[in-house]
Amino acid sequence: MDEIKERFERLIRQLKRQFNKNKKTKNKSKNKNRKHPQPGLKKKRPRPTEQVEPKSEKPRVRPRPKEEIVGISKPINKKRKKRKLTKEEVERLRKKKRQDSIIEIIKFMLPVVVFAIFVFFFILNTSPHMVDGDSMKPTLLNGDRVIVRRTKEPRRYEIITFKPPVKSEFQYVKRVIGMPGDLVWTEGSDLFINHQAESLPKVSELSAASELPDGTIKVNLSEDSLDQMSKLKKIPKGHYFVLGDNRNNSSDSRTFGLVDGLAIEGVVSFRFAPFNNIGWIK
Protein backbone atom coordinates (compact mmCIF):
# COMPACT_ATOMS: atom_id res chain seq x y z
CA MET A 1 0.00 0.00 0.00
CA ASP A 2 2.78 2.39 0.90
CA GLU A 3 4.46 1.83 -2.40
CA ILE A 4 1.25 2.49 -4.29
CA LYS A 5 0.77 5.86 -2.50
CA GLU A 6 4.30 6.97 -3.26
CA ARG A 7 3.87 6.16 -6.99
CA PHE A 8 0.62 8.00 -7.07
CA GLU A 9 2.17 11.14 -5.51
CA ARG A 10 5.04 11.01 -8.02
CA LEU A 11 2.64 10.94 -10.91
CA ILE A 12 0.80 13.96 -9.53
CA ARG A 13 4.06 15.87 -9.17
CA GLN A 14 5.12 15.09 -12.69
CA LEU A 15 1.78 16.27 -14.04
CA LYS A 16 2.08 19.57 -12.15
CA ARG A 17 5.56 20.19 -13.47
CA GLN A 18 4.44 19.52 -17.00
CA PHE A 19 1.52 21.88 -16.56
CA ASN A 20 3.74 24.67 -15.28
CA LYS A 21 6.18 24.30 -18.22
CA ASN A 22 3.38 24.64 -20.75
CA LYS A 23 2.17 27.82 -19.01
CA LYS A 24 5.61 29.46 -19.19
CA THR A 25 6.04 28.75 -22.92
CA LYS A 26 2.67 30.36 -23.69
CA ASN A 27 3.55 33.49 -21.71
CA LYS A 28 6.90 33.92 -23.54
CA SER A 29 5.23 33.72 -26.97
CA LYS A 30 2.75 36.46 -25.96
CA ASN A 31 5.50 38.81 -24.74
CA LYS A 32 7.41 38.47 -28.03
CA ASN A 33 4.39 39.55 -30.05
CA ARG A 34 4.02 42.82 -28.01
CA LYS A 35 5.93 45.99 -29.24
CA HIS A 36 8.37 47.36 -26.69
CA PRO A 37 8.59 51.25 -26.39
CA GLN A 38 11.82 53.07 -27.47
CA PRO A 39 14.17 53.92 -24.64
CA GLY A 40 14.03 57.60 -23.48
CA LEU A 41 10.44 58.15 -24.63
CA LYS A 42 7.65 58.17 -22.14
CA LYS A 43 4.20 57.20 -22.94
CA LYS A 44 1.83 60.04 -22.96
CA ARG A 45 -1.10 59.43 -20.83
CA PRO A 46 -4.32 60.47 -22.41
CA ARG A 47 -5.67 63.58 -20.68
CA PRO A 48 -9.21 63.46 -19.52
CA THR A 49 -11.44 65.50 -21.76
CA GLU A 50 -12.02 68.92 -20.24
CA GLN A 51 -15.54 69.96 -20.02
CA VAL A 52 -15.78 73.64 -21.00
CA GLU A 53 -18.73 75.39 -19.57
CA PRO A 54 -20.45 77.61 -22.07
CA LYS A 55 -19.89 81.34 -21.36
CA SER A 56 -22.97 83.12 -20.26
CA GLU A 57 -23.38 85.95 -22.72
CA LYS A 58 -24.85 89.14 -21.34
CA PRO A 59 -28.00 90.17 -22.98
CA ARG A 60 -27.39 93.04 -25.36
CA VAL A 61 -29.30 96.17 -24.54
CA ARG A 62 -30.84 97.70 -27.54
CA PRO A 63 -30.72 101.50 -27.72
CA ARG A 64 -34.02 103.07 -27.07
CA PRO A 65 -35.53 105.22 -29.68
CA LYS A 66 -35.06 108.97 -29.44
CA GLU A 67 -38.62 109.53 -28.45
CA GLU A 68 -38.22 107.38 -25.31
CA ILE A 69 -34.89 109.11 -24.36
CA VAL A 70 -36.43 112.53 -24.67
CA GLY A 71 -39.30 111.42 -22.51
CA ILE A 72 -36.99 110.13 -19.72
CA SER A 73 -34.48 113.07 -19.68
CA LYS A 74 -35.02 115.83 -17.10
CA PRO A 75 -36.68 118.99 -18.27
CA ILE A 76 -34.14 121.69 -19.18
CA ASN A 77 -34.34 124.79 -16.97
CA LYS A 78 -34.83 127.85 -19.02
CA LYS A 79 -32.53 130.82 -18.25
CA ARG A 80 -34.03 133.23 -15.88
CA LYS A 81 -34.48 136.68 -17.16
CA LYS A 82 -32.06 139.20 -15.61
CA ARG A 83 -33.57 141.75 -13.35
CA LYS A 84 -33.10 145.31 -14.50
CA LEU A 85 -30.69 147.25 -12.29
CA THR A 86 -31.70 150.52 -10.78
CA LYS A 87 -29.74 153.74 -11.34
CA GLU A 88 -28.23 153.59 -7.85
CA GLU A 89 -26.98 150.04 -8.40
CA VAL A 90 -25.50 150.99 -11.78
CA GLU A 91 -23.65 153.94 -10.19
CA ARG A 92 -22.34 151.70 -7.41
CA LEU A 93 -21.00 149.21 -9.94
CA ARG A 94 -19.31 152.00 -11.90
CA LYS A 95 -17.69 153.42 -8.76
CA LYS A 96 -16.47 149.98 -7.76
CA LYS A 97 -14.97 149.39 -11.21
CA ARG A 98 -13.23 152.77 -11.08
CA GLN A 99 -11.80 152.04 -7.63
CA ASP A 100 -10.57 148.63 -8.76
CA SER A 101 -8.92 150.11 -11.84
CA ILE A 102 -7.26 152.87 -9.76
CA ILE A 103 -5.94 150.31 -7.27
CA GLU A 104 -4.51 148.19 -10.10
CA ILE A 105 -2.81 151.25 -11.62
CA ILE A 106 -1.32 152.21 -8.23
CA LYS A 107 -0.06 148.65 -7.66
CA PHE A 108 1.59 148.70 -11.09
CA MET A 109 3.05 152.22 -10.85
CA LEU A 110 4.24 152.22 -7.23
CA PRO A 111 7.34 150.03 -7.72
CA VAL A 112 8.19 151.95 -10.91
CA VAL A 113 7.98 155.29 -9.09
CA VAL A 114 10.04 154.01 -6.14
CA PHE A 115 12.71 152.70 -8.49
CA ALA A 116 12.75 156.01 -10.42
CA ILE A 117 13.14 157.99 -7.17
CA PHE A 118 15.97 155.71 -6.08
CA VAL A 119 17.73 156.12 -9.42
CA PHE A 120 17.24 159.91 -9.43
CA PHE A 121 18.37 160.63 -5.86
CA PHE A 122 21.00 157.96 -5.33
CA ILE A 123 22.50 157.35 -8.77
CA LEU A 124 21.87 160.26 -11.15
CA ASN A 125 21.77 162.91 -8.41
CA THR A 126 24.85 161.79 -6.45
CA SER A 127 28.51 161.07 -7.08
CA PRO A 128 31.32 159.72 -4.84
CA HIS A 129 34.50 161.73 -4.07
CA MET A 130 37.69 161.27 -2.10
CA VAL A 131 39.06 164.14 -0.02
CA ASP A 132 42.66 165.03 -0.84
CA GLY A 133 44.46 167.28 1.62
CA ASP A 134 43.82 168.81 5.06
CA SER A 135 42.10 172.08 4.08
CA MET A 136 38.77 170.91 5.65
CA LYS A 137 40.31 169.51 8.81
CA PRO A 138 38.85 168.60 11.36
CA THR A 139 35.48 168.20 9.52
CA LEU A 140 36.95 166.17 6.63
CA LEU A 141 40.28 164.39 6.74
CA ASN A 142 42.64 163.33 3.99
CA GLY A 143 41.41 160.10 2.37
CA ASP A 144 37.76 160.41 3.49
CA ARG A 145 35.25 159.17 0.93
CA VAL A 146 32.10 161.24 0.63
CA ILE A 147 28.90 161.35 -1.41
CA VAL A 148 28.11 164.62 -3.17
CA ARG A 149 24.44 165.47 -3.75
CA ARG A 150 23.90 167.71 -6.76
CA THR A 151 21.82 170.83 -6.00
CA LYS A 152 21.27 174.08 -7.87
CA GLU A 153 21.76 176.57 -5.00
CA PRO A 154 23.75 175.55 -1.90
CA ARG A 155 22.89 177.00 1.52
CA ARG A 156 25.08 178.98 3.87
CA TYR A 157 27.69 176.94 5.80
CA GLU A 158 27.19 173.85 3.63
CA ILE A 159 30.27 172.10 2.25
CA ILE A 160 30.42 172.06 -1.55
CA THR A 161 32.62 170.63 -4.29
CA PHE A 162 33.42 172.89 -7.26
CA LYS A 163 35.83 173.49 -10.09
CA PRO A 164 38.14 176.30 -8.89
CA PRO A 165 38.82 179.41 -11.01
CA VAL A 166 42.52 178.47 -11.03
CA LYS A 167 44.33 175.75 -12.94
CA SER A 168 43.75 172.42 -11.18
CA GLU A 169 43.10 168.84 -12.20
CA PHE A 170 40.97 168.24 -9.11
CA GLN A 171 37.83 169.74 -7.63
CA TYR A 172 37.96 171.72 -4.39
CA VAL A 173 36.01 171.03 -1.23
CA LYS A 174 35.12 174.16 0.81
CA ARG A 175 32.45 175.65 3.07
CA VAL A 176 30.08 178.39 1.85
CA ILE A 177 30.48 181.57 3.93
CA GLY A 178 29.18 184.36 1.69
CA MET A 179 25.92 184.07 -0.22
CA PRO A 180 24.57 186.17 -3.13
CA GLY A 181 23.26 189.51 -1.76
CA ASP A 182 25.56 189.67 1.30
CA LEU A 183 27.13 193.11 2.03
CA VAL A 184 30.93 193.27 1.51
CA TRP A 185 33.46 196.03 2.10
CA THR A 186 37.25 196.21 2.37
CA GLU A 187 39.69 198.06 4.61
CA GLY A 188 43.29 197.65 3.57
CA SER A 189 43.74 193.94 2.82
CA ASP A 190 40.80 192.91 5.05
CA LEU A 191 37.39 191.90 3.76
CA PHE A 192 34.20 192.24 5.81
CA ILE A 193 31.13 190.14 4.97
CA ASN A 194 27.73 190.66 6.60
CA HIS A 195 24.42 189.03 5.67
CA GLN A 196 22.36 190.80 8.38
CA ALA A 197 23.14 194.49 7.71
CA GLU A 198 20.98 196.38 5.25
CA SER A 199 23.54 199.15 4.52
CA LEU A 200 27.31 199.62 4.81
CA PRO A 201 28.60 200.99 8.17
CA LYS A 202 30.29 204.41 8.47
CA VAL A 203 33.97 204.63 7.65
CA SER A 204 34.80 205.86 11.19
CA GLU A 205 33.37 202.66 12.73
CA LEU A 206 35.62 200.32 10.71
CA SER A 207 38.67 201.06 12.86
CA ALA A 208 37.24 199.29 15.91
CA ALA A 209 36.25 195.62 15.53
CA SER A 210 33.91 195.90 18.52
CA GLU A 211 31.80 198.45 16.65
CA LEU A 212 31.23 196.21 13.59
CA PRO A 213 27.62 195.10 12.86
CA ASP A 214 26.51 191.73 14.29
CA GLY A 215 27.29 188.71 12.12
CA THR A 216 30.22 190.37 10.34
CA ILE A 217 33.05 188.06 9.20
CA LYS A 218 36.53 189.47 8.73
CA VAL A 219 39.12 187.78 6.46
CA ASN A 220 42.47 188.73 4.99
CA LEU A 221 42.71 188.69 1.17
CA SER A 222 45.46 188.24 -1.38
CA GLU A 223 46.13 190.99 -3.94
CA ASP A 224 44.17 189.25 -6.73
CA SER A 225 41.15 188.60 -4.53
CA LEU A 226 41.31 192.13 -3.00
CA ASP A 227 41.28 193.67 -6.47
CA GLN A 228 38.03 191.79 -7.25
CA MET A 229 36.23 192.31 -3.92
CA SER A 230 37.10 196.02 -3.49
CA LYS A 231 34.91 196.84 -6.50
CA LEU A 232 31.81 195.21 -4.97
CA LYS A 233 29.25 196.32 -2.39
CA LYS A 234 27.28 193.05 -2.48
CA ILE A 235 28.11 189.54 -3.58
CA PRO A 236 26.54 189.29 -7.04
CA LYS A 237 23.82 186.77 -7.89
CA GLY A 238 25.05 183.26 -8.66
CA HIS A 239 28.40 183.73 -6.82
CA TYR A 240 29.68 182.47 -3.48
CA PHE A 241 32.51 183.23 -1.06
CA VAL A 242 34.02 179.98 0.28
CA LEU A 243 36.56 179.15 2.99
CA GLY A 244 38.28 176.01 4.24
CA ASP A 245 37.74 174.94 7.85
CA ASN A 246 41.52 174.78 8.29
CA ARG A 247 42.14 178.49 7.59
CA ASN A 248 45.91 178.24 8.07
CA ASN A 249 46.26 175.60 5.32
CA SER A 250 43.56 176.28 2.71
CA SER A 251 43.44 177.77 -0.78
CA ASP A 252 39.98 179.38 -1.02
CA SER A 253 38.18 182.63 -1.91
CA ARG A 254 40.83 184.60 0.03
CA THR A 255 43.20 183.60 -2.77
CA PHE A 256 41.14 183.30 -5.97
CA GLY A 257 38.00 185.32 -5.15
CA LEU A 258 34.34 184.37 -5.61
CA VAL A 259 33.16 181.00 -6.96
CA ASP A 260 30.70 180.94 -9.86
CA GLY A 261 27.57 178.90 -9.14
CA LEU A 262 27.91 177.14 -12.53
CA ALA A 263 31.23 175.65 -11.36
CA ILE A 264 29.63 174.05 -8.28
CA GLU A 265 29.04 170.31 -8.59
CA GLY A 266 27.03 169.73 -5.42
CA VAL A 267 26.80 169.58 -1.64
CA VAL A 268 28.78 167.07 0.43
CA SER A 269 26.12 165.20 2.40
CA PHE A 270 27.43 161.82 3.58
CA ARG A 271 30.76 160.16 4.46
CA PHE A 272 30.88 156.41 3.79
CA ALA A 273 34.57 155.72 4.52
CA PRO A 274 36.47 155.12 6.71
CA PHE A 275 33.99 152.94 8.56
CA ASN A 276 34.69 154.44 11.99
CA ASN A 277 33.59 157.91 10.72
CA ILE A 278 30.51 156.98 8.68
CA GLY A 279 27.74 159.57 8.97
CA TRP A 280 26.08 162.73 7.68
CA ILE A 281 28.24 165.83 7.07
CA LYS A 282 27.25 169.16 8.60
Side-chain angles (χ1 to χ4, degrees), residues 17-60:
R17 286 174 186 170
Q18 190 69 31
F19 181 76
N20 289 331
K21 283 182 182 180
N22 292 332
K23 240 184 188 183
K24 285 179 182 180
T25 52
K26 285 180 181 179
N27 289 331
K28 283 181 182 179
S29 61
K30 283 180 181 179
N31 291 330
K32 284 180 183 179
N33 293 329
R34 288 180 185 174
K35 291 181 180 179
H36 295 285
Q38 293 180 1
L41 294 175
K42 293 182 180 180
K43 270 188 177 182
K44 291 183 180 180
R45 293 181 181 179
R47 291 182 181 179
T49 55
E50 295 179 356
Q51 293 180 356
V52 180
E53 294 180 359
K55 292 182 180 179
S56 60
E57 293 182 358
K58 293 180 180 180
R60 293 181 182 178

Coordinates of all heavy atoms in Angstrom, one line a residue, residues 17-60:
R17 N 4.4 19.6 -12.8 CA 5.6 20.2 -13.5 C 5.3 20.4 -14.9 O 5.7 21.4 -15.5 CB 6.8 19.3 -13.3 CG 7.3 19.3 -11.9 CD 8.5 18.3 -11.8 NE 8.9 18.2 -10.4 CZ 9.7 17.2 -9.9 NH1 10.2 16.3 -10.8 NH2 10.1 17.2 -8.7
Q18 N 4.7 19.4 -15.6 CA 4.4 19.5 -17.0 C 3.5 20.6 -17.3 O 3.6 21.4 -18.2 CB 3.9 18.2 -17.5 CG 3.8 18.1 -19.0 CD 5.1 18.0 -19.7 OE1 6.1 17.5 -19.1 NE2 5.3 18.6 -20.9
F19 N 2.5 20.8 -16.4 CA 1.5 21.9 -16.6 C 2.2 23.3 -16.4 O 1.9 24.2 -17.2 CB 0.4 21.7 -15.5 CG -0.7 22.7 -15.6 CD1 -1.6 22.6 -16.6 CD2 -0.7 23.7 -14.7 CE1 -2.6 23.5 -16.7 CE2 -1.7 24.6 -14.8 CZ -2.7 24.6 -15.8
N20 N 3.1 23.4 -15.5 CA 3.7 24.7 -15.3 C 4.6 25.0 -16.5 O 4.7 26.2 -16.9 CB 4.6 24.6 -14.0 CG 3.7 24.6 -12.7 OD1 2.6 25.2 -12.8 ND2 4.2 23.9 -11.7
K21 N 5.3 24.0 -17.1 CA 6.2 24.3 -18.2 C 5.4 24.8 -19.4 O 5.8 25.7 -20.1 CB 6.9 23.0 -18.6 CG 8.1 22.7 -17.7 CD 8.8 21.4 -18.2 CE 9.9 21.1 -17.3 NZ 10.6 19.8 -17.7
N22 N 4.2 24.2 -19.7 CA 3.4 24.6 -20.8 C 2.9 26.1 -20.6 O 2.8 26.9 -21.5 CB 2.2 23.7 -20.9 CG 2.6 22.3 -21.3 OD1 3.6 22.1 -22.0 ND2 1.8 21.3 -20.9
K23 N 2.6 26.4 -19.3 CA 2.2 27.8 -19.0 C 3.2 28.8 -19.3 O 3.0 29.9 -19.9 CB 1.8 27.9 -17.5 CG 0.4 28.3 -17.3 CD 0.1 28.5 -15.8 CE -1.4 28.6 -15.6 NZ -1.7 28.9 -14.2
K24 N 4.5 28.5 -19.0 CA 5.6 29.5 -19.2 C 5.9 29.7 -20.7 O 6.1 30.8 -21.1 CB 6.9 28.9 -18.5 CG 6.8 29.1 -17.0 CD 8.1 28.5 -16.4 CE 8.1 28.6 -14.9 NZ 9.3 28.1 -14.3
T25 N 5.8 28.6 -21.5 CA 6.0 28.7 -22.9 C 5.0 29.6 -23.6 O 5.3 30.4 -24.5 CB 6.1 27.4 -23.6 OG1 4.9 26.6 -23.2 CG2 7.3 26.6 -23.1
K26 N 3.7 29.5 -23.1 CA 2.7 30.4 -23.7 C 2.9 31.8 -23.4 O 2.7 32.7 -24.2 CB 1.3 29.9 -23.1 CG 0.8 28.6 -23.8 CD -0.5 28.2 -23.1 CE -1.0 26.9 -23.8 NZ -2.3 26.5 -23.2
N27 N 3.3 32.1 -22.1 CA 3.5 33.5 -21.7 C 4.7 34.1 -22.5 O 4.7 35.3 -22.9 CB 3.9 33.6 -20.2 CG 2.6 33.3 -19.4 OD1 1.5 33.6 -19.8 ND2 2.8 32.7 -18.2
K28 N 5.8 33.4 -22.8 CA 6.9 33.9 -23.5 C 6.5 34.3 -25.0 O 6.9 35.3 -25.5 CB 8.0 32.9 -23.6 CG 8.8 32.8 -22.3 CD 9.9 31.8 -22.4 CE 10.6 31.6 -21.1 NZ 11.7 30.6 -21.1
S29 N 5.7 33.4 -25.6 CA 5.2 33.7 -27.0 C 4.4 35.0 -27.0 O 4.5 35.8 -28.0 CB 4.5 32.5 -27.5 OG 3.3 32.3 -26.7
K30 N 3.6 35.2 -26.0 CA 2.8 36.5 -26.0 C 3.6 37.7 -25.8 O 3.4 38.7 -26.5 CB 1.8 36.4 -24.8 CG 0.6 35.5 -25.1 CD -0.3 35.5 -23.9 CE -1.5 34.5 -24.1 NZ -2.4 34.5 -23.0
N31 N 4.6 37.6 -25.0 CA 5.5 38.8 -24.7 C 6.3 39.2 -26.0 O 6.6 40.3 -26.3 CB 6.5 38.5 -23.6 CG 5.7 38.5 -22.2 OD1 4.7 39.2 -22.1 ND2 6.2 37.7 -21.3
K32 N 6.7 38.2 -26.8 CA 7.4 38.5 -28.0 C 6.6 39.2 -29.0 O 7.0 40.1 -29.8 CB 7.9 37.2 -28.6 CG 9.1 36.6 -27.9 CD 9.5 35.3 -28.6 CE 10.7 34.6 -27.9 NZ 11.1 33.4 -28.5
N33 N 5.3 38.9 -29.1 CA 4.4 39.6 -30.1 C 4.1 41.0 -29.7 O 3.8 41.9 -30.6 CB 3.0 38.8 -30.1 CG 3.2 37.4 -30.8 OD1 4.1 37.3 -31.6 ND2 2.4 36.5 -30.4
R34 N 4.3 41.4 -28.4 CA 4.0 42.8 -28.0 C 5.2 43.7 -28.4 O 6.3 43.3 -28.4 CB 3.9 42.9 -26.5 CG 2.6 42.4 -26.0 CD 2.5 42.5 -24.5 NE 1.4 41.9 -23.9 CZ 1.1 41.8 -22.6 NH1 2.0 42.2 -21.8 NH2 0.0 41.2 -22.2
K35 N 4.9 45.0 -28.8 CA 5.9 46.0 -29.2 C 6.4 46.7 -28.0 O 5.7 47.3 -27.2 CB 5.3 47.0 -30.2 CG 5.0 46.5 -31.6 CD 4.5 47.6 -32.4 CE 4.1 47.0 -33.8 NZ 3.6 48.0 -34.7
H36 N 7.8 46.7 -27.8 CA 8.4 47.4 -26.7 C 8.6 48.8 -27.0 O 9.1 49.1 -28.1 CB 9.7 46.7 -26.4 CG 9.5 45.3 -25.9 ND1 9.1 45.0 -24.6 CD2 9.7 44.1 -26.5 CE1 9.0 43.6 -24.5 NE2 9.4 43.1 -25.6
P37 N 8.4 49.8 -26.1 CA 8.6 51.2 -26.4 C 10.1 51.6 -26.5 O 10.9 50.9 -25.9 CB 8.0 51.9 -25.2 CG 8.0 50.9 -24.1 CD 7.9 49.6 -24.7
Q38 N 10.4 52.6 -27.3 CA 11.8 53.1 -27.5 C 12.3 53.7 -26.2 O 11.6 54.3 -25.4 CB 11.9 54.1 -28.6 CG 11.6 53.6 -29.9 CD 11.7 54.6 -31.0 OE1 12.0 55.8 -30.7 NE2 11.4 54.3 -32.2
P39 N 13.6 53.4 -25.9 CA 14.2 53.9 -24.6 C 14.2 55.5 -24.7 O 14.6 56.0 -25.7 CB 15.6 53.3 -24.6 CG 15.9 53.0 -26.0 CD 14.6 52.6 -26.7
G40 N 14.0 56.1 -23.6 CA 14.0 57.6 -23.5 C 12.7 58.3 -23.8 O 12.5 59.4 -23.5
L41 N 11.7 57.6 -24.3 CA 10.4 58.2 -24.6 C 9.4 57.6 -23.6 O 9.4 56.4 -23.4 CB 10.0 57.8 -26.1 CG 10.9 58.4 -27.2 CD1 10.4 57.9 -28.5 CD2 10.8 59.9 -27.1
K42 N 8.7 58.6 -23.1 CA 7.6 58.2 -22.1 C 6.3 58.2 -22.8 O 6.1 59.0 -23.7 CB 7.6 59.2 -21.0 CG 8.9 59.1 -20.1 CD 8.7 60.0 -18.9 CE 10.0 60.0 -18.1 NZ 9.9 60.9 -16.9
K43 N 5.5 57.3 -22.4 CA 4.2 57.2 -22.9 C 3.4 58.3 -22.4 O 3.4 58.7 -21.2 CB 3.5 55.9 -22.5 CG 3.7 54.8 -23.5 CD 2.9 53.6 -23.1 CE 3.0 52.5 -24.1 NZ 2.2 51.3 -23.8
K44 N 2.7 58.9 -23.3 CA 1.8 60.0 -23.0 C 0.5 59.5 -22.5 O -0.1 58.7 -23.3 CB 1.6 61.0 -24.1 CG 2.8 61.8 -24.5 CD 2.5 62.8 -25.6 CE 3.7 63.6 -25.9 NZ 3.5 64.5 -27.0
R45 N 0.2 59.9 -21.3 CA -1.1 59.4 -20.8 C -2.2 60.3 -21.4 O -2.1 61.5 -21.5 CB -1.2 59.5 -19.3 CG -0.2 58.6 -18.6 CD -0.3 58.7 -17.1 NE 0.6 57.8 -16.5 CZ 0.7 57.7 -15.1 NH1 0.0 58.5 -14.4 NH2 1.6 56.9 -14.6
P46 N -3.2 59.7 -21.8 CA -4.3 60.5 -22.4 C -5.0 61.3 -21.3 O -5.3 60.8 -20.2 CB -5.3 59.4 -22.9 CG -5.0 58.2 -22.1 CD -3.5 58.2 -21.8
R47 N -5.0 62.7 -21.6 CA -5.7 63.6 -20.7 C -7.2 63.4 -20.7 O -7.8 63.1 -21.8 CB -5.4 65.0 -21.0 CG -3.9 65.4 -20.8 CD -3.7 66.8 -21.2 NE -2.3 67.1 -21.0 CZ -1.8 68.4 -21.2 NH1 -2.6 69.3 -21.7 NH2 -0.5 68.6 -21.0
P48 N -7.7 63.5 -19.5 CA -9.2 63.5 -19.5 C -9.8 64.6 -20.3 O -9.3 65.8 -20.2 CB -9.5 63.5 -18.0 CG -8.4 64.2 -17.4 CD -7.2 63.8 -18.2
T49 N -10.8 64.4 -20.9 CA -11.4 65.5 -21.8 C -12.0 66.6 -20.8 O -12.8 66.3 -19.9 CB -12.6 64.9 -22.6 OG1 -13.5 64.2 -21.7 CG2 -12.0 63.9 -23.6
E50 N -11.5 67.8 -21.1 CA -12.0 68.9 -20.2 C -13.4 69.3 -20.7 O -13.6 69.5 -21.9 CB -11.1 70.1 -20.4 CG -9.7 69.8 -19.8 CD -8.8 71.0 -20.0 OE1 -9.2 72.0 -20.6 OE2 -7.6 70.9 -19.5
Q51 N -14.2 69.5 -19.7 CA -15.5 70.0 -20.0 C -15.6 71.5 -19.9 O -15.4 72.0 -18.8 CB -16.5 69.3 -19.0 CG -16.6 67.8 -19.2 CD -17.6 67.2 -18.2 OE1 -18.1 67.9 -17.4 NE2 -17.9 65.9 -18.4
V52 N -15.7 72.2 -21.0 CA -15.8 73.6 -21.0 C -17.2 74.1 -20.9 O -18.1 73.7 -21.7 CB -15.2 74.2 -22.3 CG1 -15.2 75.7 -22.3 CG2 -13.8 73.7 -22.5
E53 N -17.4 74.9 -19.8 CA -18.7 75.4 -19.6 C -19.0 76.5 -20.6 O -18.2 77.4 -20.8 CB -18.9 75.9 -18.1 CG -18.7 74.8 -17.1 CD -18.9 75.4 -15.7 OE1 -19.1 76.6 -15.6 OE2 -18.8 74.6 -14.7
P54 N -20.1 76.5 -21.1 CA -20.5 77.6 -22.1 C -20.6 79.0 -21.4 O -21.1 79.0 -20.3 CB -21.8 77.2 -22.6 CG -22.3 76.3 -21.6 CD -21.2 75.6 -20.9
K55 N -19.9 80.0 -22.0 CA -19.9 81.3 -21.4 C -21.3 81.9 -21.5 O -21.9 81.8 -22.5 CB -18.9 82.3 -22.1 CG -17.5 81.9 -21.9 CD -16.6 82.9 -22.6 CE -15.1 82.5 -22.4 NZ -14.2 83.4 -23.0
S56 N -21.6 82.5 -20.3 CA -23.0 83.1 -20.3 C -22.9 84.5 -20.9 O -22.2 85.4 -20.4 CB -23.5 83.2 -18.8 OG -22.6 84.0 -18.1
E57 N -23.4 84.7 -22.0 CA -23.4 86.0 -22.7 C -24.4 86.9 -22.1 O -25.6 86.5 -21.9 CB -23.7 85.7 -24.2 CG -22.6 85.0 -24.9 CD -22.9 84.8 -26.4 OE1 -24.0 85.3 -26.8 OE2 -22.1 84.2 -27.1
K58 N -23.9 88.2 -21.9 CA -24.9 89.1 -21.3 C -25.9 89.5 -22.4 O -25.5 89.7 -23.6 CB -24.1 90.4 -20.9 CG -23.2 90.1 -19.7 CD -22.5 91.3 -19.3 CE -21.6 91.0 -18.1 NZ -20.9 92.2 -17.6
P59 N -27.0 89.8 -22.0 CA -28.0 90.2 -23.0 C -27.7 91.6 -23.5 O -27.5 92.5 -22.7 CB -29.3 90.1 -22.2 CG -28.9 90.2 -20.8 CD -27.6 89.6 -20.7
R60 N -27.6 91.7 -24.7 CA -27.4 93.0 -25.4 C -28.6 94.0 -25.2 O -29.7 93.5 -25.4 CB -27.1 92.9 -26.8 CG -25.8 92.2 -27.1 CD -25.6 92.1 -28.6 NE -24.3 91.3 -28.9 CZ -23.9 91.1 -30.1 NH1 -24.6 91.5 -31.2 NH2 -22.8 90.4 -30.3

